[in-house]
Amino acid sequence: MRIATWNVNSIRARSESVVEWMEQADVDVLAMQETKCHDDAFPLMSFLASGYDVAHVGQGAYNGVAIASRVGLDGVEVAFDGVPTYPVDDQPIREARAISAVCAGIRVWSLYVPNGRTPEDPHYEYKLRWLDALGDHIALRLAHDPAAEMMLAGDWNVAQTDDDVWDREYFDGRTHVTPPERAAVQRFLDGGLVDSALPYAPGYTFWDYTQLRFPRDEGMRIDYAFCSPAPDTRVMGAHIDREARKRKGASDHAPVVFDLA
């Protein structure tokens, strides 16, 4: 089985190229982030015509996550217990940042972790609370069922080590590399999950559109999947599809692809 995660950066603008890539790459399950559309505007027919069922939760021009699968899509869950809200126009909003479904026996999550903006911004504290709440939820699930099959795939918006950014000094005073963010992500690994892509695909997954970041390979590794031990033992390989990032009108993220026995 082949599972991929990809921040598509607007699915309505890229649905045809995403589906075409899925078919060419022989992907069975795709976790998508930043779809940037409401549920009724998701280009569902493009996926259905190619044999993929889709679960999606959207939020207009922001956020949005989805899972497309041709190997089953059962037990869909939107968000998770204890997910924090964020104020929008003074109203607490549960943002569209997490969805999961069982695909061929594995509960695949599509996660779009908050960006944080700057360490001084309220969105940064929201990011930490969001990661803590997700960590609590996953820890409870694993405590109830240590053999649970889970893959937490997505855009984590955290570079775990200095090797995951092109220039550590450039990020001084910025988000994605601060100790609290890294500690929040490390908690998942300390709790028994595995960074399943790292042994096979340690390279960057995101390159900003500006300043020729992609041609210069000035990127970040912020897209990955944490697996529970059961599915991790079946991960036989992974790769970052840089060719997809090279396409005309491509997302600023590249897909990360996992091969499972």
Side-chain angles (χ1 to χ4, degrees):
M1 180 165 62
R2 178 165 282 182
I3 303 176
T5 180
W6 196 1
N7 179 321
V8 295
N9 192 10
S10 182
I11 190 59
R12 289 198 297 171
R14 299 186 169 91
S15 62
E16 292 184 6
S17 61
V18 168
V19 172
E20 179 184 34
W21 175 83
M22 292 172 69
E23 293 176 329
Q24 292 175 349
D26 197 25
V27 169
D28 297 300
V29 181
L30 177 63
M32 290 173 276
Q33 302 85 43
E34 227 177 338
T35 57
K36 295 183 178 179
C37 67
H38 289 295
D39 291 348
D40 58 4
F42 188 92
L44 181 61
M45 292 308 300
S46 297
F47 291 84
L48 293 177
S50 295
Y52 293 93
D53 292 324
V54 178
H56 174 257
V57 57
Q59 195 178 343
Y62 304 95
N63 308 320
V65 285
I67 299 171
S69 172
R70 63 183 184 188
V71 292
L73 194 67
D74 303 310
V76 175
E77 297 179 6
V78 174
F80 49 86
D81 292 340
V83 62
T85 60
Y86 190 75
V88 177
D89 296 329
D90 296 325
Q91 296 296 319
I93 300 297
R94 189 180 77 174
E95 295 186 314
R97 294 185 175 274
I99 193 169
S100 71
V102 177
C103 306
I106 300 175
R107 178 162 290 279
V108 178
W109 291 75
S110 181
L111 302 170
Y112 181 43
V113 175
N115 179 284
R117 299 175 184 167
T118 71
E120 296 77 27
D121 195 286
H123 205 259
Y124 177 83
E125 292 301 323
Y126 166 62
K127 178 179 190 175
L128 297 180
R129 289 188 288 111
W130 198 95
L131 282 167
D132 283 345
L134 177 63
D136 290 343
H137 180 80
I138 297 301
L140 185 60
R141 283 201 161 186
L142 286 174
H144 283 306
D145 183 9
E149 303 221 9
M150 291 189 293
M151 173 181 276
L152 281 66
D155 176 357
W156 288 79
N157 269 320
V158 177
Q160 297 177 55
T161 72
D162 289 352
D163 290 337
D164 296 324
V165 294
W166 66 276
D167 183 348
R168 180 61 184 84
E169 291 184 4
Y170 172 83
F171 287 93
D172 284 346
R174 302 171 187 255
T175 58
H176 294 58
V177 299
T178 65
E181 291 170 288
R182 288 179 168 176
V185 168
Q186 182 63 38
R187 177 189 173 191
F188 291 88
L189 302 176
D190 293 342
L193 300 185
V194 182
D195 186 348
S196 297
L198 187 58
Y200 307 99
Y204 303 142
T205 65
F206 165 82
W207 302 261
D208 194 272
Y209 287 128
T210 64
Q211 302 182 51
L212 298 175
R213 293 293 190 213
F214 184 64
R216 294 174 177 171
D217 199 27
E218 295 175 349
M220 307 173 69
R221 179 178 180 264
I222 55 176
D223 304 87
Y224 37 85
F226 291 159
C227 288
S228 59
D232 180 68
T233 60
R234 301 206 307 276
V235 175
M236 308 305 292
H239 69 275
I240 300 162
D241 192 342
R242 292 173 61 98
E243 294 300 315
R245 176 63 175 82
K246 294 178 183 178
R247 294 185 177 192
K248 183 179 179 180
S251 169
D252 45 5
H253 295 250
V256 184
V257 184
F258 300 81
D259 289 312
L260 283 73

